Amino acid sequence: MTEPTLPLVDAAWLADHLDDPRLRIVDATVHLSFDENGAHIASADETYRAEHIPGAVFVDQDAALSRDDTPIRFTPVDSERFAEVLGDAGIGDEDTVVVYDHANGIWATRLWWHLGYEGFDRVKVLDGGLAAWKAAGLSTESGEVRLPAATFTARRRPDRVVSTTEVEAAIDDDGVLLVNALAPEDFARGHIPGSVNVPFASLVQENGTLKDAGALREIFAAAGALDPAVRPVTYCGGGIAATAAAFALLAAGRGDVAIYDGSMTEWTADPSRPLEIPDPRMGGE
């Protein structure tokens, strides 16, 4: 099949390739909501069964691809388990995967990142997700798709993530730029010292599709993230929106981005770690 340069495809491209026997479509949605009691996470299995892109399988990133023996939600499972889950979903080494979600794209980029973390690069993100598919007048289906099991080989790339220890060192390292992908109000409540704020919501258009490369370069250049003398490390609250920022940085020309997967959840777990809070009197960050 004809491959786009950036790992991003639109609804028309996907519709044209639905019959490709080596194409695998994955609904990567996780339901995340907030109220006065904090964040709430729920499986999107029922949402998937109610409506999905024809031929799509569902991969539960919370229940199936996250460890359950750590307090940090969405900590990736080991490579062996990852390969088992993807293989059971019918995804093999020679397949091309298109991921999408029902929300704002961050769950699709999370699975895009996780696949890349495990050494698999034949993965694309559907620009605008299910909403863009439906806006194009394309049909959906209900029920569950089950594909024959396949062999998926995981080859982890440790350089795609940084640890808390490395982030602590990065605070005083001019060669690393910490990019916080949370909303400005969340950034203002406290962030890792030296961070710049590039909210993931600023990287997409009103319809949820990614801004063009020129606009993204302008945003990231203003933040200093395109400086060849630094390596960007993205983070957020729990490592999800950080992957959207990493994907947008790739679109802007940076292929060397790392993720601080524990993000603010792990950073603030130890109250001795420093937080930077802008002084509102200074009209700060």
Side-chain angles (χ1 to χ4, degrees), residues 7-281:
L8 185 73
V9 299
D10 59 19
W13 185 95
L14 182 55
D16 287 343
H17 291 81
L18 280 184
D19 294 331
D20 192 306
R22 298 253 58 115
L23 181 71
R24 299 291 182 265
I25 307 169
V26 180
D27 185 331
T29 308
V30 176
H31 290 309
L32 173 64
S33 60
F34 298 90
D35 61 21
E36 64 276 7
N37 297 314
H40 303 277
I41 295 167
S43 173
D45 180 58
E46 289 188 10
T47 306
Y48 159 77
R49 290 172 184 269
E51 182 179 40
H52 57 259
I53 294 173
V57 299
F58 175 68
V59 173
D60 192 327
Q61 297 192 80
D62 183 32
L65 297 183
S66 303
R67 288 172 51 182
D68 59 7
D69 60 348
T70 171
I72 307 300
R73 199 77 176 256
F74 295 104
T75 299
V77 294
D78 61 35
S79 295
E80 182 178 1
R81 173 59 179 163
F82 185 89
E84 179 185 353
V85 171
L86 272 290
D88 287 348
I91 299 169
D93 293 340
E94 301 304 315
D95 293 327
T96 293
V97 177
V98 174
V99 294
Y100 76 93
D101 63 37
H102 293 228
N104 51 14
I106 62 175
W107 298 105
T109 58
R110 174 67 184 188
L111 187 52
W112 161 81
W113 170 81
H114 203 165
L115 283 159
Y117 181 44
E118 294 296 352
F120 186 88
D121 292 323
R122 302 172 65 88
V123 53
K124 321 294 178 187
V125 173
L126 175 61
D127 199 13
L130 184 66
W133 178 266
K134 295 169 67 174
L138 297 164
S139 64
T140 59
E141 64 181 15
S142 60
E144 180 183 18
V145 175
R146 293 293 302 172
L147 300 174
T151 299
F152 184 96
T153 305
R155 301 180 179 89
R156 180 160 289 187
R157 294 162 167 158
D159 62 319
R160 297 293 181 95
V161 296
V162 296
S163 67
T164 296
T165 299
E166 290 172 306
V167 172
E168 288 172 332
I171 291 174
D172 298 315
D173 184 351
D174 292 337
V176 177
L177 180 68
L178 298 172
V179 180
N180 181 302
L182 293 174
E185 58 269 26
D186 295 318
F187 182 76
R189 292 189 189 102
H191 52 268
I192 300 172
S195 302
V196 297
N197 185 213
V198 182
F200 78 88
S202 71
L203 306 173
V204 296
Q205 304 182 81
E206 288 186 8
N207 65 359
T209 57
L210 191 68
K211 289 183 177 179
D212 65 56
L216 294 174
R217 282 193 289 269
E218 184 175 339
I219 291 169
F220 285 118
L226 300 188
D227 182 348
V230 304
R231 185 191 189 190
V233 172
T234 62
Y235 75 97
C236 55
I240 310 302
T243 65
F247 189 85
L249 271 163
L250 178 62
R254 295 297 303 244
D256 59 342
V257 183
I259 303 289
Y260 175 31
D261 198 38
S263 287
M264 288 296 288
T265 301
E266 186 166 350
W267 185 261
T268 59
D270 183 346
S272 70
R273 294 191 187 110
L275 284 178
E276 186 170 271
I277 301 175
D279 186 341
R281 296 172 300 177

